[in-house]
Amino acid sequence: MPDYHDDLRLAHVLADAADAVTMDRFKALDLKVETKPDMTPVSEADKAAEELIRGHLHRARPRDAILGEEFGIEGTGPRRWVIDPIDGTKNYVRGVPVWATLISLMEAGEDGFQPVMGVVSAPALNRRWWAAKGAGAYTGRSLTSATRLRVSKVERISDASFAYSSLTGWEELGRLDGFMDLTRACWRTRGYGDFWPYMMVAEGSVDICAEPELSLWDMAANAIIVQEAGGSFTSLDGVGGPGGGNAAASNGVLHHELLGYLNQRY
């Protein structure tokens, strides 16, 4: 199995650089915010962080392709870095500390591009999570100061904690009834949103989470971290990996039942 340690070390360097940029502008009174064509906000910090990461990658990995939320795809080849400079921009621009920079490396294989390394850095929470294929998932402030992540062992939906983003997307997707049935069946539900539920699944503090509409950069880093912590990460249709346009993540034990509710089989 390939060793992704050098890529992981580089991703931490990239995350450190992005953290400095994003924290410098967090809660700034003169922060510039625009509305993109899809009606979602983008701040000057989103753009600056992605430009900085791209610059580092051009120097350190000139042969690799780069896909980012703000500036699209550059390059071709079997290795592709995927960047979300600020996942949770709506939180960021309102001064809510739940946002993160997501950095992942994907490699081409028989099933298309799949993540092999990922880092999620949430500097306003003073938290960071990461994983590499075959090497496990961890949390801490550095590679040398880290704790291994493992998903929970909860076996019943009635004992499960379920995290989600909002109700509107499920209604638009025609899956609201199944979603509501799931919330009633669970022990506890919380609308944490964005990257955080996936990290809590990996940590074992949440058992299941799902979102109805996502882009690749929202999911790639989260997917490898959940998987390396022993969990499952699929589309709502059950296809493994982050390429399905939506996501369901769990401790693995509850995954079939989670998908059953969201596809109205229960």
Side-chain angles (χ1 to χ4, degrees), residues 24-71:
D24 181 63
R25 300 301 292 153
F26 184 49
K27 295 188 178 181
L29 296 179
D30 60 344
L31 181 72
K32 296 178 181 176
V33 182
E34 303 171 6
T35 301
K36 294 191 285 189
D38 64 358
M39 302 307 293
T40 60
V42 57
S43 74
E44 61 182 89
D46 291 81
K47 295 179 179 179
E50 184 169 324
E51 287 176 332
L52 183 67
I53 293 170
R54 284 176 180 268
H56 277 287
L57 287 172
H58 287 151
R59 293 187 293 273
R61 297 289 189 273
R63 296 182 180 180
D64 293 351
I66 305 170
L67 172 65
E69 178 177 9
E70 307 307 336
F71 299 106

Side-chain angles (χ1 to χ4, degrees), residues 27-28 64 99 168 176:
K27 295 188 178 181
D64 293 351
W99 50 270
T168 54
L176 184 59

Side-chain angles (χ1 to χ4, degrees), residues 163-185:
Y164 61 94
S165 289
S166 67
L167 298 180
T168 54
W170 297 103
E171 187 171 26
E172 292 167 1
L173 204 62
R175 297 179 189 251
L176 184 59
D177 289 345
F179 173 86
M180 293 304 298
D181 287 343
L182 176 59
T183 65
R184 297 182 187 104

Side-chain angles (χ1 to χ4, degrees), residues 79-149:
R79 286 168 48 99
R80 179 181 297 169
W81 293 80
V82 180
I83 305 159
D84 189 342
I86 299 179
D87 182 55
T89 298
K90 292 177 182 177
N91 282 345
Y92 184 87
V93 301
R94 289 296 302 272
V96 178
V98 183
W99 50 270
T101 295
L102 279 53
I103 301 168
S104 62
L105 174 64
M106 302 185 73
E107 287 191 345
E110 293 180 359
D111 299 323
F113 280 90
Q114 292 294 335
V116 295
M117 184 280 301
V119 171
V120 172
S121 188
L125 296 175
N126 197 32
R127 295 296 309 275
R128 185 175 291 183
W129 304 261
W130 64 88
K133 187 176 181 180
Y138 297 84
T139 185
R141 288 307 300 169
S142 70
L143 285 167
T144 56
S145 178
T147 302
R148 185 81 180 257
L149 296 177

